Structure formats: C-alpha cells, structure tokens
Amino acid sequence: MISGKRNVFGTKGRTGLDFMVLVSTVWWLCLTAFSVSATTQADPPSPQPNQKLRFGQNGEFKILQVADMHYANGKSTPCLNVLPSQNFSCSDLNTTVFINRMIQAERPNLIVFTGDNIFGFDCTDSAKSLEAAFAPAIASNIPWVAVLGNHDQEGTLSREGVMKHIVGMKNTLSKFNPPEAHIIDGFGNYNLEVGGVEGSDFENKSVLNLYFLDSGDYSKVSTIFGYDWIKPSQQLWFQRTSAKLKKAYISGPLPQKDAAPGLTYFHIPLPEYASFDSSNMTGVKLEPDGNGISSASVNSGFFTTLVSAGDVKAVFTGHDHLNDFCGNLMNIQLCYAGGFGYHAYGKAGWPRRARVVVASLEKTEKGNWGDVKSIKTWKRLDDQHLTGIDGEVLWSKNSQ
C-alpha cells in the first residue's frame, strides 16, 4: 500500500538553483551526457509497421491523454484515496473501465499514455501489468503511444526493458528512440507526424507534429536531489527534428509561411509549471507540497529550447495527480492531465480525470481542408456522466 507519490529523495519542494550553479550544472551535463548517461542504441526493437496518422474527413484530429494509471495486478490491487463506499469493490479494474468509457465517448484518433503507466513496485510481473494496462487501447484498434514515468521501471523490468516491451505491443506507434540519434539519453524519445486530410492539398504534409520525450525518473547526479530532467542530448534531438519539420513545411510543394504547430508529451513537469496560480490558469493546483509542482530541482533549460524552436504550442504532462490546469507562458500552454488511475494517490471525492485535445483544420478558399486553425482542450471526469469541464482554446492561428 502506498500513501502518496513515492519520492525517495524527500526534496519535492525544491524549485531551482541559483543562476551560477544552474549554468555550471548544465555545462557539466553537456560535457558528460554522451559519456556517462546517454543511451547507445545498438539493437532497438523492431518498430510496428508504419501507420500514417492523419486528420479525419471532418477536419479534426483528437488525442486522449491518460496520465498516471499506476496499474499493478488487476482485481487484487486496491484503490487509493477513494470514498469509503468504494473501498470494498475498487481495484485496477476501475482504471480499465474508465479507459473504455473514455474511448467509447471520445473515439480519439490517438491515445497518449504519459508515464507511470504501471506502478512497478507493486507489480508481480511487469510485462503482464503492461499488457493489462494497455489492453483497452489495444482492443479499440486505435493507435496509441506511451512515454515512461518515474515508477514504470520499479518492478521486474528495467527502464529499457519496459520501453522495449511497449514498442513490441499491438497497435502502438511508440518508438524505442529515434534511429537517427545514435546516442541519446533515456528510452522513448520520438516524434510522429500527422498528415492533412486525404485528398486535400495538405495530404502529403505534416500539419501537426507530436513530440514525445523521456523525462527520466530520479537524478543520477549525487549533488542534485529529486526528480530527473530532459537532458542536452534529448534537447539537441528535439531542436534538429523541429528544424527539419519546419524546413519541410515551408518548402514545396505547397510552401507555408511558418512551421506547423507542435504538441509535446512527457511525464515530469518543467519548473516553469510553478508560474501559475488561480489568476492565470484554467483548472486547479491541489498538490500540497512546496509550490504544488514536483519538477526537477534543477532547470535544464528545455522550456527555453521549446520557446526558441517556435513550433510547440502546448506541453502535456502528468506526475502531479492533483493538478489538472493549463497556463500560458510565453505563448506555450503548459498543461496537466490530472490523475487517471485508481491505484495512484488522489483525493477522495475528487474524480479521476483525463484530458482531450482536438486540433481543427481551416477551410481553404476552394472549400477544401487546409492547415491547422485551432487547438482546443477539455477534461472528462470519471463520474456517472463523464462530465466535461474546463473547455478552452489553447491556440488559434488567427491570434498569433
């Protein structure tokens, strides 16, 4: 039984280091990333057959984000922080039912699992837990992807082993790591391109770009406590990928003026998530520790990298189950999904929830589907009616 987020360092409230320490640390990381902590890709597992993601004939592409399932052993795994009336009958199966309800209600084009998919410490067999956790997505025949959190590797599979197992599962578009990056930190750094509507002028262009990164688990640097962060090798891969996609989008055929919008998914929130309160966010921040944000204690500069790239319009994370807000910082929306799983800590009476994102295309002068016009989001609660809350526009082409 667990009573809260497992933090082996006990430094959840720290938010950053002073500027000189930060600069020194980042430079040190740059020098050591390739020799100490980066992952050399020797024999990554074979990816699934290429499946082209594209917008539907309705001009929409819908993504369901599932954060922090914390799945373990199914029916025998108890729920945490639920109402007394739920204690007797509640288990991992409640998480499974919730996923099925969300899939049936929303019929997304892609399902994204943003880490802590299983709670490895409580899993008898991590592989079987992964199979059970992702079973609803697999059965739906909807493409799905996953990134790792800080708890996935705490069972019978290593972090590398968990990602390799995920990549080999049915209907997933998850990738072990980008084949062009021979050395990169973590497991599960990759991108997906979403093409325009089939038969439209944009059918052969990626009009929406999706980035997925491994935000790690816990710091491996003895002098830096707390959670892990996105490393320089990953940021370099992101920068190069973003630049390549922008170049392809603004060149022929059908050249565009600017990059296609991008969305980024990973598990541990950036320190910049601490910038928001009730006055400048949509949703809630209910985490009790420190400033309510459990990010790394060092700022690796990834938010600056995102701003500099210019294409990413929103970032989506999990990790802090009682936070479900979105806030705009320097024209990038920083969003949580809110806790989904019933074996994860929560708050009794505060329903588990999921986030939905919809990108919509605009119509061209000829009446055909064009490029992305807007990106909207809302959340659904696991109550009797799957109540939708906090609908908002994250980005609009006309308000740039």
Side-chain angles (χ1 to χ4, degrees):
M1 180 66 70
I2 55 177
S3 59
K5 185 179 289 139
R6 190 165 175 261
N7 182 357
V8 298
F9 296 98
T11 58
K12 193 175 173 183
R14 294 184 62 185
T15 59
L17 304 176
D18 63 58
F19 180 75
M20 292 305 296
V21 174
L22 171 58
V23 171
S24 299
T25 301
V26 171
W27 273 109
W28 181 86
L29 288 169
C30 289
L31 291 172
T32 60
F34 291 93
S35 61
V36 178
S37 60
T39 302
T40 302
Q41 291 195 143
D43 295 301
S46 300
Q48 295 286 313
N50 289 331
Q51 180 177 356
K52 179 68 175 179
L53 292 176
R54 64 170 64 254
F55 279 72
Q57 292 296 326
N58 64 350
E60 292 185 349
F61 189 84
K62 182 184 289 187
I63 301 172
L64 168 63
Q65 181 189 0
V66 176
D68 299 272
M69 287 191 293
H70 280 231
Y71 207 94
N73 300 313
K75 188 176 181 179
S76 64
T77 300
C79 296
L80 299 180
N81 305 125
V82 294
L83 296 172
S85 59
Q86 298 174 284
N87 278 326
F88 178 74
S89 60
C90 192
S91 71
D92 274 339
L93 301 186
N94 289 63
T95 302
T96 298
V97 170
F98 186 21
I99 298 177
N100 281 322
R101 294 181 72 202
M102 286 298 304
I103 291 172
Q104 292 168 11
E106 294 290 358
R107 301 307 302 175
N109 300 97
L110 179 69
I111 305 170
V112 179
F113 296 91
T114 49
D116 283 2
N117 309 295
I118 61 173
F119 191 77
F121 187 78
D122 288 343
C123 296
T124 303
D125 183 325
S126 292
K128 290 182 178 178
S129 295
L130 288 167
E131 299 286 344
F134 296 129
I138 294 171
S140 73
N141 287 320
I142 294 171
W144 62 275
V145 295
V147 294
L148 301 182
N150 54 297
H151 290 307
D152 292 286
Q153 79 291 339
E154 294 173 339
T156 58
L157 289 174
S158 67
R159 196 168 184 81
E160 179 180 3
V162 170
M163 199 65 214
K164 282 185 175 180
H165 189 87
I166 289 172
V167 169
M169 296 176 75
K170 186 178 179 182
N171 295 337
T172 189
L173 300 180
S174 306
K175 299 178 184 179
F176 182 72
N177 264 334
E180 69 275 13
H182 299 295
I183 300 177
I184 192 169
D185 287 87
F187 307 99
N189 303 286
Y190 55 101
N191 70 290
L192 295 174
E193 302 175 17
V194 185
V197 174
E198 189 171 8
S200 72
D201 293 339
F202 286 82
E203 71 172 333
N204 294 319
K205 276 189 173 291
S206 177
V207 297
L208 180 69
N209 295 311
L210 308 177
Y211 303 97
F212 306 92
L213 294 104
D214 181 4
S215 55
D217 49 11
Y218 304 100
S219 171
K220 307 301 187 296
V221 181
S222 61
T223 55
I224 302 175
F225 298 97
Y227 293 109
D228 215 338
W229 55 88
I230 294 172
K231 307 298 194 304
S233 64
Q234 297 167 282
Q235 297 188 44
L236 179 60
W237 165 78
F238 165 79
Q239 289 173 313
R240 289 176 172 174
T241 303
S242 173
K244 180 185 70 174
L245 291 169
K246 180 178 181 179
K247 182 178 180 180
Y249 197 64
I250 63 177
S251 61
L254 204 65
Q256 300 298 300
K257 295 180 180 179
D258 206 351
L263 305 176
T264 303
Y265 290 86
F266 48 89
H267 182 69
I268 298 174
L270 302 173
E272 285 80 5
Y273 273 67
S275 304
F276 307 106
D277 56 35
S278 58
S279 69
N280 60 356
M281 68 186 191
T282 300
V284 298
K285 184 198 291 186
L286 299 180
E287 290 284 336
D289 293 350
N291 60 9
I293 305 296
S294 298
S295 61
S297 61
V298 60
N299 193 324
S300 70
F302 187 50
F303 181 76
T304 302
T305 299
L306 292 170
V307 173
S308 299
D311 61 331
V312 170
K313 309 307 178 186
V315 174
F316 302 93
T317 66
H319 191 56
D320 295 325
H321 308 176
L322 299 180
N323 294 344
D324 72 352
F325 65 80
C326 283
N328 188 322
L329 183 64
M330 301 184 69
N331 295 320
I332 296 179
Q333 295 279 350
L334 301 180
C335 297
Y336 282 105
F340 190 100
Y342 279 85
H343 187 51
Y345 77 86
K347 183 178 181 181
W350 195 70
R352 266 62 175 183
R353 56 203 61 207
R355 182 171 291 281
V356 180
V357 173
V358 175
S360 301
L361 303 177
E362 67 177 0
K363 286 276 190 168
T364 66
E365 293 179 355
K366 298 178 182 179
N368 299 321
W369 290 116
D371 58 353
V372 176
K373 173 182 66 176
S374 66
I375 301 172
K376 302 176 181 178
T377 189
W378 60 88
K379 299 185 293 285
R380 282 190 183 266
L381 308 181
D382 191 20
D383 57 16
Q384 182 179 355
H385 303 291
L386 282 179
T387 303
I389 63 170
D390 294 338
E392 61 177 317
V393 176
L394 294 177
W395 175 81
S396 173
K397 181 180 179 180
N398 296 328
S399 62
Q400 291 188 86

